[in-house]
Amino acid sequence: MKEQEAIDRLAALAQPTRLALFRRLVRRGAEGMAAGAIGEALGVPAPTLSFHLTALERAGLVTSTRSGRSILYAADYRAMEELLGYLLENCCADGGCAPAAPLVAPPRAKKAKSVP
Amino acid sequence: MKEQEAIDRLAALAQPTRLALFRRLVRRGAEGMAAGAIGEALGVPAPTLSFHLTALERAGLVTSTRSGRSILYAADYRAMEELLGYLLENCCADGGCAPAAPLVAPPRAKKAKSVP
DNA sequence: TTCATAGTTCTAGAATACTAGAAATATAAG
DNA sequence: CTTATATTTCTAGTATTCTAGAACTATGAA
């Protein structure tokens, strides 16, 4: 992972609205959630919401897919893992702690349940 | 961990100079590194360096201890673990992935070698 | 079509953060 | 005490980000 990419992701998460958005999506799992539903749940006006969702997407932390009139957003776990790995790279190169390989298991899809 | 604390830490890391600083200290381990040495290694002017080290310390990501004329800075792994845990809290509450308890082992001190 | 719904883009004002020179402070050495 | 070194605080100019109203676009229903 390149430094700029890591900074983009950290900056994306370093903002109250976006952090809440992301965590909400993390909880939701692979199914994702419509923009409107997120905005309603968090009490964020539509333009502000769109601004932040776009930021998260540009940073690669969430993905979006249109479903009818709605747009479903979902957290991208892979991106998160990459970021965590980058942050702890060469951790204690002096010999302290182990590299702790795959920090987090990726979400196992629940029996390939298609989301229309 | 409180939301504001997480945001402070993410914001602290979401900046090129500070991210480089932190990663350098992560590599250094518990020994830490004098401010001047870091600044020289990264080519950052002293006032700028101080500004960023202070930001990292306020965020709880690094600790500082004076040693003679120098001030030694060191990464705080505990803080990092807390942050990672917060980011993935309730990961896939729908039932996907496991909580992945202690994401990273804390750095084992190398035989209690005191750093004056 | 025409209407309603779901989201996005445009916009500009308010707030916050970054940089680095100059000056100040603490420690140590002579 | 005087000087040198290590780092911090003060400062101001520049740049970036956040917010939300108004206007716009896309999809689906009647």
Side-chain angles (χ1 to χ4, degrees):
Chain A
M1 160 172 269
K2 283 185 67 254
E3 174 183 80
Q4 188 56 53
E5 213 176 345
I7 288 175
D8 291 345
R9 289 183 191 176
L10 288 165
L13 293 171
Q15 205 281 336
T17 305
R18 286 196 297 264
L19 182 55
L21 248 48
F22 182 75
R23 275 164 46 90
R24 174 70 54 138
L25 290 175
V26 161
R27 237 164 68 189
R28 248 316 162 114
E31 273 188 61
M33 209 169 168
I38 309 175
E40 201 170 340
L42 303 181
V44 179
T48 303
L49 180 72
S50 186
F51 173 83
H52 290 303
L53 283 173
T54 301
L56 284 171
E57 192 172 23
R58 263 204 318 266
L61 288 167
V62 307
T63 59
S64 68
T65 50
R66 184 173 273 279
S67 167
R69 276 183 264 205
S70 300
I71 297 188
L72 297 174
Y73 284 89
D76 185 329
Y77 297 91
R78 184 80 56 101
M80 200 59 198
E81 277 181 65
E82 285 170 15
L83 177 58
L84 303 190
Y86 182 81
L87 288 175
L88 299 169
E89 209 170 72
N90 301 316
C91 174
C92 312
D94 286 355
C97 56
L103 292 174
V104 176
R108 275 170 292 146
K110 292 182 68 177
K111 287 242 178 156
K113 174 192 171 191
S114 75
V115 181
Chain B
M1 159 172 270
K2 283 184 69 255
E3 175 182 80
Q4 189 55 54
E5 213 176 345
I7 289 176
D8 290 345
R9 289 183 190 176
L10 288 165
L13 293 172
Q15 204 280 335
T17 304
R18 286 195 298 263
L19 183 54
L21 247 50
F22 181 76
R23 276 164 46 89
R24 174 69 55 138
L25 290 175
V26 162
R27 238 164 66 190
R28 247 318 162 112
E31 273 188 60
M33 208 170 169
I38 308 173
E40 200 171 339
L42 302 181
V44 179
T48 303
L49 180 72
S50 185
F51 173 82
H52 289 303
L53 283 173
T54 300
L56 284 170
E57 192 172 23
R58 262 203 320 264
L61 288 167
V62 307
T63 59
S64 68
T65 51
R66 182 174 276 279
S67 167
R69 275 182 265 206
S70 299
I71 296 187
L72 297 174
Y73 283 89
D76 185 328
Y77 296 92
R78 184 78 55 101
M80 200 59 196
E81 277 181 65
E82 285 171 14
L83 177 58
L84 303 190
Y86 182 80
L87 288 174
L88 298 169
E89 208 170 72
N90 300 317
C91 173
C92 313
D94 286 356
C97 55
L103 292 174
V104 176
R108 275 170 293 146
K110 292 182 68 176
K111 286 245 178 148
K113 174 192 171 191
S114 75
V115 181

